[in-house]
Amino acid sequence: QVQLQQWGAGLLKPSETLSLTCAVYGGSFSGYYWSWIRQPPGKGLEWIGEINHSGSTNYNPSLKSRVTISVDTSKNQFSLKLSSVTAADTAVYYCARRGSGYDPYYYYYYMDVWGKGTTVTVSS
Amino acid sequence: SSELTQDPAVSVALGQTVRITCQGDSLRSYYASWYQQKPGQAPVLVIYGKNNRPSGIPDRFSGSSSGNTASLTITGAQAEDEADYYCNSRDSSGNHPGFGGGTKLTVL
């Protein structure tokens, strides 16, 4: 059974860079995209970006200028960096596995395995 | 913005049927996936594709789609189904995933 374990700094000052890593245990690293999602306190889910095993990335346009997602296939890990953080970046950050498929007649995408979440607080 | 719209809150009597909807232009081309989130926990996938349930998800959860609207139906809602529910699909460009704003389900 695939499990995701995530870690990283939980308290940052404004202008610092958020850095989180997610390790994949118990399953194949290829064949999926690996995603980051965040949830501000009391609010909904926001997709940040994703990467596949070959390093192909896809970012939320609203965050693209500050986000870098990278992959280390030798360790089955992927990482998130978000630069120049502000209080608005305070959130629980989740990593997740993203799969896809095709049913006649539509494509579909889903996130079926999630990490437990890391609370990141930005405060001076 | 993912441009997926959900009702903020829905309630259902215990044992009754409830439908949670998600509207967006991208749903004319992509199926939605649905996630259940309880307080302090990570989201859990409950429906994906045309109407697929991951292992361990009760069969009282089902999904459907028509036009620009995707629906999650819970037939015979249980107290443990009280949670926030999020739909997920692509944005209108089809290039990026996005989530609806979420629906808080209360089981009365």
Side-chain angles (χ1 to χ4, degrees):
Chain A
Q1 182 171 345
V2 178
Q3 293 186 339
L4 303 183
Q5 182 176 348
Q6 57 181 106
W7 65 89
L11 181 60
L12 297 172
K13 290 181 168 40
S15 80
E16 292 184 334
T17 295
L18 178 156
S19 182
L20 299 174
T21 298
C22 185
V24 180
Y25 297 104
S28 172
F29 200 65
S30 61
Y32 297 94
Y33 270 79
W34 303 92
S35 304
W36 289 99
I37 301 100
R38 70 181 183 178
Q39 185 171 36
K43 296 188 178 180
L45 301 169
E46 179 181 29
W47 175 76
I48 299 170
E50 61 186 10
I51 192 167
N52 68 3
H53 70 285
S54 61
S56 178
T57 54
N58 189 16
Y59 297 137
N60 186 324
S62 68
L63 298 169
K64 186 174 184 177
S65 63
R66 297 193 293 130
V67 172
T68 302
I69 298 176
S70 58
V71 66
D72 184 342
T73 55
S74 68
K75 296 180 180 178
N76 278 13
Q77 294 177 1
F78 61 107
S79 298
L80 168 69
K81 291 190 185 300
L82 179 66
S83 64
S84 304
V85 298
T86 69
D89 295 311
T90 293
V92 177
Y93 286 74
Y94 296 100
C95 58
R97 184 176 78 171
R98 198 269 283 167
S100 61
Y102 183 72
D103 261 336
Y105 307 86
Y106 297 165
Y107 284 98
Y108 61 86
Y109 303 87
Y110 57 90
M111 298 174 195
D112 62 341
V113 184
W114 292 67
K116 292 185 183 301
T118 300
T119 299
V120 176
T121 302
V122 181
S123 175
S124 56
Chain B
S1 171
S2 68
E3 302 149 12
L4 295 173
T5 302
Q6 297 182 240
D7 291 330
V10 171
S11 62
V12 62
L14 184 67
Q16 296 304 300
T17 296
V18 62
R19 177 174 291 181
I20 298 169
T21 61
C22 175
Q23 289 188 306
D25 286 343
S26 66
L27 299 176
R28 298 184 185 277
S29 303
Y30 301 93
Y31 286 118
S33 53
W34 290 92
Y35 303 83
Q36 177 193 71
Q37 187 181 34
K38 296 180 179 180
Q41 298 183 17
V44 173
L45 177 68
V46 294
I47 291 289
Y48 66 100
K50 189 174 182 180
N51 182 19
N52 302 307
R53 281 177 289 105
S55 175
I57 300 302
D59 61 6
R60 64 179 179 271
F61 289 89
S62 63
S64 61
S65 186
S66 178
N68 73 336
T69 301
S71 300
L72 172 70
T73 299
I74 307 174
T75 303
Q78 302 299 303
E80 61 264 32
D81 299 334
E82 187 163 289
D84 293 327
Y85 290 84
Y86 293 92
C87 63
N88 170 250
S89 185
R90 308 300 269 187
D91 66 7
S92 56
S93 73
N95 293 329
H96 307 110
F99 289 93
T103 297
K104 182 176 183 61
L105 176 66
T106 300
V107 180
L108 304 172

